[in-house]
Amino acid sequence: MSVFGDAAVYLNDPFNWTRRGGILDLLGQHLTVSALAVAAAAVLAVPAGVLLGRSGRGAGAIVVLSNVSRAVPTLALLTVFAVTPIGFSSAATVVALAVFAIPPMLTNTFVGFREVDRDVLEAARAMGMSRRQRLARVEFPLALPLVMTGVRTAAVQVVATATLAALVGGGGLGRIINLGFGQQDFGQMIAGAVLVAALALLTELVLVLVSWALTPGRRRLPFAGVRRDRPGQPEPTAAGVPL
């Protein structure tokens, strides 16, 4: 039997899913660590991106921070934490993954608020809106697609990278891959990789739907192609009546 057949056997065994320390337990650990890391990164990155984007300052610093943060390996951070009071723990994994998730959120939030049309802001100001009202009712809705893109990118990266926690004694689906490697069970390794890939894809899909639901304005189904009018078909007006 091939390694892919062994992986299918592993995934189809109910005992591997329901036993203590099985797939469901490890999945819960993986999701918990990933969610905490993304939430911690969002608490830091999104407000900072909003402040810098509205002020128009710090673009160079954001680029440098983003590039430097991406160059620091998550596994290296986990190893450094081993000699600190944090040690090898879930907290260390959450902190390392949060550092990894901050750059895309910060960059996209900054760009999203910087790209808001100045004419729209001037119109809102002329209507008597306060600074807070402009933020909540004009800037944030317009910047939301880019903000959500940053959150989605960070979340998928975190879900995929959280497998490294198993290398330093952490939990999550990476433990399946780690155990398979230690036992030279390549079928189990493939099964773990499939689970992580499926979870990353599911995370992408869920956040695309969330972004679609939250984005104001005219909507079309996610992943749907752009509708092309037939040649000669008149364009409708706002009232739906041809010009």
Side-chain angles (χ1 to χ4, degrees), residues 55-216:
S55 67
R57 301 173 181 175
I62 288 178
V63 172
V64 172
L65 175 63
S66 178
N67 291 335
V68 170
S69 300
R70 288 171 179 168
V72 177
T74 304
L75 184 58
L77 286 178
L78 291 173
T79 305
V80 170
F81 289 150
V83 296
T84 67
I86 299 178
F88 286 152
S89 63
S90 296
T93 304
V94 170
V95 172
L97 291 174
V99 171
F100 184 62
I102 285 175
M105 289 192 194
L106 180 60
T107 303
N108 279 58
T109 302
F110 173 80
V111 173
F113 276 83
R114 287 302 300 157
E115 291 297 319
V116 174
D117 194 333
R118 301 296 106 180
D119 291 338
V120 175
L121 291 179
E122 287 297 327
R125 187 178 294 109
M127 293 173 61
M129 287 188 181
S130 65
R131 185 176 177 85
R132 182 175 299 179
Q133 288 176 325
R134 293 197 302 271
L135 172 62
R137 299 172 61 181
V138 179
E139 294 177 89
F140 194 78
L142 292 176
L144 186 59
L146 269 178
V147 174
M148 286 301 302
T149 298
V151 172
R152 187 172 75 245
T153 301
V156 173
Q157 290 178 348
V158 165
V159 167
T161 310
T163 55
L164 295 176
L167 297 177
V168 291
L173 296 175
R175 180 169 292 182
I176 298 174
I177 301 174
N178 197 33
L179 290 174
F181 182 80
Q183 300 169 0
Q184 293 297 294
D185 186 343
F186 298 109
Q188 184 174 343
M189 292 174 59
I190 294 295
V194 168
L195 289 170
V196 173
L199 183 59
L201 290 174
L202 182 60
T203 301
E204 172 82 12
L205 176 61
V206 169
L207 290 179
V208 165
L209 294 175
V210 170
S211 178
W212 172 78
L214 294 178
T215 301

